[in-house]
Amino acid sequence: MKKRVLIMGAAGRDFHNFNTFYRDNEAYKVMAFTAAQIPDISDRKYPAALAGKLYPDGIPIYDEKDLVELIKELQIDDVAFSYSDVSYDFIMHKSAIVNAAGANFVLLGTKDTSIKSFKPLISVCATRTGCGKSQTARRLIELLMEHDLKVVAIRHPMPYGDLEKQKVQRFATLEDLKKHDCTIEEMEEYEPHVVRGNVIYAGVDYEAILRAAENDPDGCDVIVWDGGNNDFPFYESDFHITITDPHRPGHGMKYYPGEVNLRMSDAVIINKIDTARPKDVTKVRNILAEVIPNTTVVDAASPVRVEDPKVIRNKKVLVVEDGPTLTHGGMKIGAGTVAAQKFGVSEIIDPRPYLVGKLKETFEIYPEIGTILPAMGYGDEQLRDLELTINACDCDAVIIGTPIDLSRVININKPSTRVFYDLQSIGEPSFESVIEEFLIKKGMHKEMGELV
């Protein structure tokens, strides 16, 4: 008899695990997905057009709160946990709930879920959300482009809309962001790539996405996997980079699957050493020396710069930060907060008295966010709530610490300025020399104007 499976997810790794391991596997029958972490992604179906011949009616997606009832009603044998950036305590509590309900608790690994690329592939991953994957991926792509290489990025999935339409998405211009009805979270990841002149893919079916990227109409010499949360890559990597954050020392050994990334690493970056406490940087070094003693370690910083410091100096400001970093990433500060401290604001205004709609729910779920406003924008309603909250806030100016220009997607009725941050390698071995060494090994190193 086929094993009856339920996949626990958050619109990302769950669909990938289904596509790579379960979709055409006659030994299993996937009865349902559950959804968590991201608002308003349950009560959908994984469509028949993506689910394959064994699932002509598609697969329902339910809220994770109904997990126990679903295990019993659907007579589930295996529950495959398939989302990321959760503590070991959290995941083992879920295992206990599943086991108590009678089912097996399953974690799929790289052998059954990684796809082989026909082009060289470099992965950028992390131990937690908010470590600095985005600026690392941007710097990596700049270095590759300096070698006259055609770079195509593939981003970890964020399919929160029509799954069938989002099977394979290609972003080469800002107009493509509108074409695909991107949420703020999606724009934060895609926009920095397209404004730098490289193409980025995302979607739902990551084998189809990989094949499209390899054959991109603008050309493709090398692929960069731009990871999400602290998930491990969907593809086999020729070079695997993991970023750590000394503001959260030890988290790489406490949050799933960050430790998987650490143990797979060809190079590890200790980011933000300019703003972290020296003892926390040392703690990270000691963990790396114990767990992966032979892996290259690169020191780096992500210094912030502000578009117009005059807008915020000596002013009462509202700080808006990247949403996932503050919510399930658990960070108390982000680039906007660092900029506020660096450029001398008089006061950071607490947004909580001014919260509207869905943002009230966000603070109820994540009360530890404190006095920073997360840029939640998974749909039109959340965007509207974000705009109303910012405009209601009693402040002189707004610091936009998100990776995109927030004023492009909502109307802000007070002065605002953006914060930028880029990866800066410090000392030796440098990030640049590590990438150079990889390119030499692959025969892709540019020397005297030629590729050798």
Side-chain angles (χ1 to χ4, degrees):
M1 292 180 63
K2 291 186 177 185
K3 278 201 166 187
R4 298 163 72 88
V5 177
L6 182 148
I7 302 176
M8 296 175 66
R13 164 65 67 176
D14 49 350
F15 300 150
H16 180 71
N17 282 352
F18 170 78
N19 291 339
T20 52
F21 184 71
Y22 292 110
R23 180 164 56 191
D24 299 319
N25 195 328
E26 295 276 4
Y28 298 91
K29 182 176 183 180
V30 175
M31 304 300 296
F33 293 91
T34 59
Q37 282 188 332
I38 310 301
D40 304 322
I41 58 168
S42 56
D43 298 323
R44 301 190 294 173
K45 262 195 172 187
Y46 194 69
L50 299 178
K53 62 184 179 182
L54 300 179
Y55 301 90
D57 298 321
I59 304 167
I61 304 171
Y62 300 105
D63 196 301
E64 191 186 288
K65 66 180 177 60
D66 300 322
L67 176 63
V68 172
E69 291 77 10
L70 289 167
I71 291 172
K72 293 176 180 177
E73 290 173 10
L74 300 176
Q75 300 176 6
I76 298 298
D77 299 303
D78 290 353
V79 173
F81 186 91
S82 304
Y83 58 98
S84 53
D85 210 19
V86 294
S87 70
Y88 286 163
D89 279 351
F90 177 95
I91 197 169
M92 292 316 296
H93 283 307
K94 294 296 182 183
S95 176
I97 290 168
V98 168
N99 290 163
N104 303 317
F105 191 75
V106 177
L107 295 172
L108 292 175
T110 56
K111 181 179 179 181
D112 286 325
T113 63
S114 294
I115 302 167
K116 177 65 177 173
S117 172
F118 297 116
K119 297 290 176 76
L121 190 144
I122 304 174
S123 294
V124 178
C125 299
T127 54
R128 291 295 313 275
T129 297
C131 284
K133 295 185 303 294
S134 297
Q135 58 264 45
T136 303
R138 293 197 302 268
R139 181 61 183 140
L140 170 61
I141 289 168
E142 288 169 359
L143 293 171
L144 296 172
M145 292 173 75
E146 287 173 9
H147 285 267
D148 295 336
L149 296 169
K150 289 279 190 179
V151 184
V152 177
I154 301 179
R155 179 58 169 76
H156 188 275
M158 294 179 283
Y160 308 138
D162 186 319
L163 296 175
E164 190 170 342
K165 289 181 180 178
Q166 293 179 296
K167 177 181 178 180
V168 176
Q169 296 173 296
R170 180 182 186 269
F171 302 93
T173 67
L174 291 177
E175 286 70 31
D176 290 331
L177 303 178
K178 296 179 183 178
K179 171 185 170 184
H180 292 287
D181 296 321
C182 289
T183 64
I184 282 182
E185 187 187 3
E186 291 172 289
M187 285 187 281
E188 285 177 347
E189 301 302 336
Y190 306 152
E191 184 174 311
H193 285 278
V194 300
V195 298
R196 280 169 169 75
N198 69 279
V199 174
I200 183 165
Y201 282 80
V204 180
D205 189 327
Y206 273 76
E207 181 160 13
I209 289 166
L210 179 60
R211 303 309 168 215
E214 291 167 339
N215 296 285
D216 187 79
D218 291 342
C220 174
D221 297 314
V222 59
I223 291 171
V224 170
W225 169 257
D226 190 352
N229 280 356
N230 64 346
D231 203 357
F232 54 89
F234 289 7
Y235 304 128
E236 294 181 24
S237 304
D238 295 288
F239 197 78
H240 181 99
I241 300 164
T242 301
I243 303 102
T244 63
D245 183 356
H247 287 280
R248 293 169 285 179
H251 279 215
M253 304 300 290
K254 297 177 182 177
Y255 283 78
Y256 178 82
E259 187 178 349
V260 178
N261 280 321
L262 271 187
R263 293 184 180 276
M264 292 171 63
S265 300
D266 295 297
V268 173
I269 295 174
I270 305 177
N271 193 17
K272 308 180 189 177
I273 66 169
D274 55 331
T275 56
R277 297 183 300 180
K279 70 175 185 179
D280 291 335
V281 176
T282 299
K283 181 176 180 178
V284 173
R285 290 195 200 285
N286 291 340
I287 291 169
L288 298 179
E290 179 181 347
V291 177
I292 44 172
N294 299 318
T295 300
T296 301
V297 177
V298 175
D299 289 350
S302 294
V304 300
R305 51 191 171 87
V306 170
E307 192 173 37
D308 187 356
K310 298 191 298 295
V311 171
I312 60 174
R313 188 169 288 122
N314 300 320
K315 302 289 178 59
K316 296 190 304 180
V317 303
L318 172 68
V319 177
V320 184
E321 301 277 24
D322 171 60
T325 298
L326 296 183
T327 54
H328 56 79
M331 281 286 282
K332 299 291 191 292
I333 64 171
T337 310
V338 173
Q341 295 165 347
K342 180 178 179 179
F343 291 96
V345 308
S346 64
E347 183 183 354
I348 294 178
I349 298 299
D350 188 343
R352 287 173 289 191
Y354 310 98
L355 297 175
V356 174
K358 290 279 188 180
L359 276 169
K360 290 182 179 179
E361 295 179 18
T362 300
F363 275 79
E364 288 169 3
I365 297 169
Y366 302 100
E368 65 278 3
I369 291 172
T371 60
I372 310 301
L373 184 65
M376 306 299 287
Y378 293 105
D380 292 339
E381 184 180 359
Q382 283 195 329
L383 269 179
R384 185 174 61 252
D385 293 343
L386 181 63
E387 179 179 295
L388 291 172
T389 298
I390 292 173
N391 291 338
C393 189
D394 182 17
C395 63
D396 300 321
V398 179
I399 295 178
I400 300 173
T402 59
I404 65 161
D405 183 1
L406 204 56
S407 63
R408 191 171 57 78
V409 292
I410 62 174
N411 295 314
I412 299 175
N413 68 1
K414 42 185 66 73
S416 64
T417 189
R418 287 186 66 190
V419 176
F420 301 92
Y421 43 92
D422 297 295
L423 189 79
Q424 182 182 85
S425 185
I426 297 173
E428 293 293 337
S430 68
F431 186 54
E432 292 77 9
S433 66
V434 167
I435 299 306
E436 193 104 342
E437 184 179 343
F438 167 77
L439 293 177
I440 290 171
K441 286 181 179 178
K442 283 289 183 180
M444 302 169 69
H445 177 248
K446 179 183 176 183
E447 187 173 2
M448 301 297 291
E450 299 293 334
L451 287 178
V452 298

